[in-house]
Amino acid sequence: MNIQKVTVIGAGQMGSGIAQVAAGAGLDVKLHDIEEEYVQKGLQRIGKNLARQVEKGRLTEEEKEGVLGRIQGTNRLQEAAREADIVVEAVVENLHVKTELFRQLDPLCPDHAILASNTSSLPITEIAAVTQRPERVIGMHFMNPVPVMKLVEVIRGLATGEEVYRTVDELARRMGKSPVEVNDYPGFVSNRILMPMINEAIYTVYEGVAEPEAVDQVMKLGMNHPMGPITLADFIGLDTCLYIMETLYEGFGDPKYRPCPLLRKYVKAGWLGRKTGRGFYNYER
């Protein structure tokens, strides 16, 4: 199947990044969000990212304009979906929200369209089950920031067809990414390994083993990680970390996935990391 028209639902950091790399690969992109204000913010974010690439000499001004010219913003779901070869959903990490969106998209999209979710931990099989095309539903989990990070987890749901998998694998490569095949289990590979490490790092702070700075230094200097796990948790968002840990805990029923009480406390306090100005570190100026 030849993919040329891509619709991205959700114009936030992830969605705008996916739209940017898709347009950069020569694909026609529609970027949708529920409010025109959010659509425009997403388009502005893409414009700023591309302008930085021009400043660094990685793109010409003409190439930048070409990428922007292939992205069309809309806040009307029917308009976004009606001609799509593939829809990539990048909305909030909430199963109810995602399943309702896929339920709406199913009758709006052409019969041949693939429905992909950028979920980082939620079950593709369950999302697919609300549609009349479960064989055409798949996970396409990009990493943040999308224009920079090479990995895409391509997640097969229970019913995902072989042709659909091959098409999405090829699409990811066309977008300059390195796809990895993953089966549908809670957290997939990336977050099943990463989040328990972050959670354990937070436990070492909770139990008084070391301060956040010390934990990060150990992992950076001793394990050669580019960013310490506590800093990474603040970057991802502590609410997102907690949600994924709860998904793992619920999905496997194994106490090793129990979220650290200190993580819960910070989330309840609204200390969510960089995006709120305070998490384990203070980002307020």
Side-chain angles (χ1 to χ4, degrees):
M1 178 181 167
N2 181 40
I3 301 287
Q4 185 55 42
K5 296 182 178 180
V6 177
T7 292
V8 180
I9 307 294
Q13 189 169 6
M14 292 300 292
S16 60
I18 295 166
Q20 179 182 324
V21 297
L27 298 159
D28 298 321
V29 179
K30 286 189 177 174
L31 180 61
H32 172 276
D33 214 310
I34 53 175
E35 298 288 347
E36 182 62 24
E37 175 192 356
Y38 303 151
V39 175
Q40 292 306 315
K41 283 182 179 177
L43 292 172
Q44 288 166 14
R45 185 182 292 111
I46 294 169
K48 288 177 182 176
N49 287 344
L50 293 172
R52 281 197 293 270
Q53 296 301 304
V54 173
E55 288 171 13
K56 293 175 182 176
R58 295 173 183 166
L59 279 181
T60 65
E61 187 65 32
E62 292 74 20
E63 286 170 334
K64 183 193 89 168
E65 292 304 320
V67 173
L68 290 173
R70 287 190 288 274
I71 305 173
Q72 180 185 346
T74 180
N75 63 353
R76 294 188 290 276
L77 191 62
Q78 185 169 4
E79 180 186 326
R82 66 186 176 199
E83 295 180 348
D85 295 321
I86 186 169
V87 177
V88 183
E89 163 275 310
V91 302
V92 64
E93 188 73 352
N94 178 285
L95 185 60
H96 174 72
V97 173
K98 289 183 187 293
T99 52
E100 282 306 304
L101 175 59
F102 273 68
R103 202 189 306 274
Q104 291 175 54
L105 284 169
D106 190 28
L108 297 177
C109 291
D111 291 342
H112 73 274
I114 295 170
L115 304 183
S117 175
N118 181 53
T119 178
S120 59
S121 63
L122 297 172
I124 299 300
T125 301
E126 195 168 338
I127 293 170
V130 305
T131 75
Q132 298 301 308
R133 62 179 90 198
E135 74 287 350
R136 305 195 73 76
V137 177
I138 196 165
M140 201 175 185
H141 178 211
F142 292 81
M143 303 294 127
N144 186 27
V146 178
V148 176
M149 302 294 280
K150 289 291 186 184
L151 177 67
V152 174
E153 287 184 302
V154 181
I155 304 116
R156 292 178 182 263
L158 194 60
T160 303
E162 184 62 31
E163 181 201 0
V164 169
Y165 169 77
R166 287 199 307 269
T167 299
V168 170
D169 180 90
E170 182 183 326
L171 176 64
R173 294 177 196 277
R174 187 174 169 188
M175 293 165 73
K177 302 304 177 187
S178 299
V180 174
E181 181 180 358
V182 178
N183 286 316
D184 187 21
Y185 288 94
F188 315 131
V189 172
S190 56
N191 281 320
R192 184 172 176 178
I193 294 170
L194 174 64
M195 286 302 162
M197 183 193 75
I198 287 175
N199 194 53
E200 194 63 28
I202 296 170
Y203 262 113
T204 63
V205 175
Y206 173 64
E207 293 170 358
V209 177
E211 292 297 314
E213 295 86 351
V215 175
D216 281 345
Q217 283 289 81
V218 166
M219 298 306 290
K220 284 164 64 181
L221 301 180
M223 315 306 165
N224 206 28
H225 289 198
M227 184 184 294
I230 306 293
T231 300
L232 182 56
D234 274 356
F235 178 75
I236 293 168
L238 301 185
D239 52 338
T240 301
C241 294
L242 176 59
Y243 188 83
I244 295 171
M245 284 307 302
E246 287 174 333
T247 299
L248 290 168
Y249 190 37
E250 181 181 339
F252 291 111
D254 190 323
K256 73 180 179 180
Y257 298 115
R258 181 172 66 97
C260 178
L262 185 60
L263 176 59
R264 289 192 186 279
K265 182 181 283 189
Y266 273 51
V267 172
K268 285 179 181 176
W271 296 1
L272 307 182
R274 282 184 179 272
K275 61 187 174 184
T276 58
R278 182 165 187 176
F280 284 96
Y281 297 103
N282 194 335
Y283 304 94
E284 292 171 345
R285 294 189 178 123

